[in-house]
Amino acid sequence: LGTSDKARQTEIMLNLASYTRRIIASEPTLVRVPSSPAKIFGDTHGQFRDLLLLLVHHGFPTHKGGDVELTHYVFNGDYVDRGAHQIEIVLLVFALKVLYPSRVFLLRGNHEFRKQNEGMGKFGFHHAVNSHFVTTGQKVYDAIHDA
């Protein structure tokens, strides 16, 4: 999050979730990737390093030498639960959606639903967010789920 200040981290997460929510709310429920090629990533389950390695190997969506103007990126859900870097995964996919709203598609898997997150106990996204943000965890968790 670029800072160790928990209040600033909370502000960043809430703003990013709000921007993402506005973009996704303007999209149809059933999204269609306009044309190929498309890169599809799924079931990352908080494994941030693995996602980064996949993006390095298959191309990172960036306007500085990347292929985001030619390729669509589909993140096929199950971003969270189980892995050690669930918050980082959400940060990355939300930031990419905000930066490239017409090129990045975010789909929800079963692990993007509250009941699933909360039923995972200490391995779940609910626990990860509340452990990291301590005093503002529920507010951040709600904002992410509302996106």
Side-chain angles (χ1 to χ4, degrees), residues 22-55:
R22 281 185 247 156
I23 293 166
I24 291 173
S26 71
E27 297 177 341
T29 304
L30 176 63
V31 294
R32 294 183 188 276
V33 177
S35 63
S36 57
K39 296 176 183 177
I40 302 170
F41 302 91
D43 289 298
T44 54
H45 288 290
Q47 301 297 327
F48 189 62
R49 182 178 181 275
D50 291 350
L51 178 57
L52 290 178
L53 288 171
L54 285 168
L55 290 170

Side-chain angles (χ1 to χ4, degrees), residues 74-132:
V74 179
F75 293 92
N76 206 21
D78 289 357
Y79 316 124
V80 298
D81 291 335
R82 298 189 196 122
H85 301 285
Q86 301 171 50
I87 295 167
E88 292 86 342
I89 293 271
V90 170
L91 272 168
L92 178 61
V93 298
F94 278 16
L96 291 172
K97 182 63 178 175
V98 169
L99 285 171
Y100 308 110
S102 65
R103 307 302 283 182
V104 173
F105 297 87
L106 304 181
L107 307 175
R108 289 181 191 258
N110 64 312
H111 287 272
E112 279 69 55
F113 289 92
R114 292 174 189 266
K115 189 172 184 176
Q116 183 72 30
N117 296 154
E118 293 162 13
M120 294 289 296
K122 69 179 183 175
F123 300 107
F125 186 60
H126 184 260
H127 178 78
V129 172
N130 282 293
S131 293
H132 182 83

